[in-house]
Each structure stands twice: as structure tokens, then as C-alpha cells.
Amino acid sequence: MKTEKLTPEHIEKKLSDLTEWTLREGKLYRSFAFENFVEAFAFMTKVALLAETMDHHPEWRNVYNRVEIYLVTHDVDGLSDLDFTLASRIDALL
Amino acid sequence: MKTEKLTPEHIEKKLSDLTEWTLREGKLYRSFAFENFVEAFAFMTKVALLAETMDHHPEWRNVYNRVEIYLVTHDVDGLSDLDFTLASRIDALL
């Protein structure tokens, strides 16, 4: 998978396909709410396995039933295709 | 376990037994660094099971090999014995 830094035009185009994600601090951001902590952590476990398989890991935060995920590609100091692929695979887990 | 709000004097005394934890934003805080993401998430899984068993859950953040944990008791709007017990049990996982 390409890890080139995407241009703002590319990002805007790709974002239009990921309706639940927004840009925050230059990263792809989405917040998730679950029934309870067990459901939230079950989701996090799936994301963890996915991320490790892709060797691309989220910055994320959990408080009880809520999970916040930020995706960015540090190697290119911006967003790459990796972030958008991981985002759509995370969406597919739900 | 008691969930009374601890006084600043109690907190100071209890903190002296938890040398790796500090107060941050009124919460018990500790940062952990692991070899890699797999080790970090393995640790998080253990903490998750512990937290669910205690019905007391952390606010936490993970970026690759780093895990940051904040403990607070929302029911009392401060720190309670629950936070210190969970902190020491987390330490025992390492």
C-alpha cells in the first residue's frame, strides 16, 4: 500500500466516501459509542488485530462506552492511503 | 469497597504508596511504555478484564507502544479508594 502523503485535494475527495470521519488536528477522526465497556473493548480488540495486521496503528482513547480514534501516518507527517484504508476497515467491523 | 470521596490529606498519604502514579487534572495518572503495540494491547486487555471485574473503568489512551491511564471516580467527582485499588492492581499486572 502506498504511504505517500496525500494532498488536501485527495484528502477532501477521499473524505467524501467516509461520511462518519472528519479531520481533526490533521488526523482522521471518528468517535464511537457502545452499549457499555465490554462492547467498547470488544470493538477495540478487533481494531487492534486489524491494525497489527496492517502494521498501521491508531491513536485512540476510551472512556467507558466511548472510543475515539485518530488516524495519521507519522512516516509522511500527514495522511496517506493507509489511514483511509484502515478507517474503512474499522467501519466494516461495525 | 468504599466509594467515598477522599480528602486531599488521604490522597497524599495513599499516593506515597504508589510511587509510579501522580495527580493530573485531579485524577490518578500513570504512563506505560512497552516493546511494541502487541505488548501494549496485551496489557490493556488485562487491565480491561480487571476493570470490568471491579466495575471501575479507566480513562485511557494508547499510541503504539504507549498507554496512558487516568483513574477517577465520577460518582464522587474525585478520587476514592476504588481508584487506588485499581491502580495497585494494574501495577501488579506488570
Side-chain angles (χ1 to χ4, degrees):
Chain A
M1 192 168 308
K2 287 184 299 180
T3 54
E4 291 165 21
K5 184 172 181 168
L6 295 171
T7 63
E9 292 73 22
H10 269 115
I11 290 168
E12 191 174 346
K13 184 171 178 302
K14 284 175 169 285
L15 261 180
S16 64
D17 295 329
L18 282 179
T19 52
E20 303 294 332
W21 296 74
T22 56
L23 278 187
R24 191 179 280 200
E25 302 164 23
K27 302 169 186 175
L28 274 187
Y29 170 82
R30 183 174 173 182
S31 176
F32 304 82
F34 298 90
E35 284 284 305
N36 51 42
F37 177 74
V38 169
E39 296 299 320
F41 198 76
F43 167 72
M44 291 176 73
T45 304
K46 292 179 199 171
V47 172
L49 297 172
L50 181 57
E52 184 63 17
T53 304
M54 291 180 62
D55 194 21
H56 192 57
H57 303 85
E59 300 179 10
W60 52 355
R61 182 167 177 272
N62 161 243
V63 181
Y64 194 59
N65 70 323
R66 300 196 74 88
V67 179
E68 291 182 298
I69 298 184
Y70 293 83
L71 302 178
V72 69
T73 304
H74 291 287
D75 287 349
V76 302
D77 192 25
L79 295 176
S80 74
D81 280 342
L82 272 174
D83 301 303
F84 284 91
T85 301
L86 181 51
S88 62
R89 290 187 183 168
I90 288 170
D91 283 352
L93 293 175
L94 297 172
Chain B
M1 193 169 306
K2 288 184 298 180
T3 54
E4 291 166 19
K5 184 171 181 170
L6 296 171
T7 63
E9 292 74 24
H10 269 116
I11 289 169
E12 190 175 346
K13 185 171 179 303
K14 283 174 169 287
L15 261 180
S16 64
D17 295 330
L18 281 179
T19 53
E20 302 295 332
W21 296 74
T22 55
L23 278 187
R24 192 179 280 200
E25 302 163 24
K27 302 169 186 176
L28 274 187
Y29 170 82
R30 182 174 174 184
S31 175
F32 304 81
F34 298 91
E35 284 284 307
N36 50 43
F37 177 74
V38 169
E39 295 300 318
F41 198 76
F43 167 72
M44 291 176 72
T45 304
K46 293 180 198 170
V47 172
L49 297 172
L50 180 57
E52 184 63 16
T53 304
M54 289 179 64
D55 194 19
H56 191 57
H57 303 85
E59 301 178 10
W60 51 356
R61 181 168 179 272
N62 162 242
V63 181
Y64 194 59
N65 70 323
R66 301 197 73 89
V67 179
E68 291 183 298
I69 298 183
Y70 293 82
L71 302 178
V72 69
T73 304
H74 292 287
D75 286 349
V76 302
D77 192 24
L79 295 176
S80 74
D81 280 342
L82 271 174
D83 301 303
F84 284 91
T85 302
L86 181 52
S88 62
R89 290 186 185 170
I90 288 172
D91 283 351
L93 292 176
L94 299 172

